[in-house]
Amino acid sequence: MSVDSAERSVTVRVPKAVIGEPQPTWGYQVFILGQEGYPEADSLRVREVKANRAEWRFGGGDDGTYDPNVIDLLAPDGTTQQAILGTYGVREKRLAVVPMVYGR
């Protein structure tokens, strides 16, 4: 993995030996998440995105169960990560639905 802050990019390479020869029907989902060093039992070690930023906490969420704890994602052409991650609904008890990206 390499990070280029000047270009605002993260590059991750996965050897074909690990996943096999990519197929035309394969879709991908790529996320950047924060790693939680002191997780609660059900956190999966993913740091929550809280309503307000603080030391060791990302801001921009709503402190609810349904907001996605995603910092960045690979969005398909024709949409944005904001549009995708904004599809969750607290009142509706609806999680965000993240589409697959094909053919990259």
Side-chain angles (χ1 to χ4, degrees), residues 1-5 8-15 30-35 72:
M1 179 175 85
S2 66
V3 177
D4 185 333
S5 58
R8 300 181 63 172
S9 69
V10 176
T11 301
V12 177
R13 297 185 187 278
V14 180
V30 180
F31 299 92
I32 304 268
L33 309 170
Q35 189 265 336
D72 200 359

Side-chain angles (χ1 to χ4, degrees), residues 35-41 43-47 56-57:
Q35 189 265 336
E36 178 58 66
Y38 300 96
E40 294 183 18
S43 77
L44 301 175
R45 297 189 70 90
V46 173
R47 181 158 289 168
W56 305 108
R57 295 291 171 240

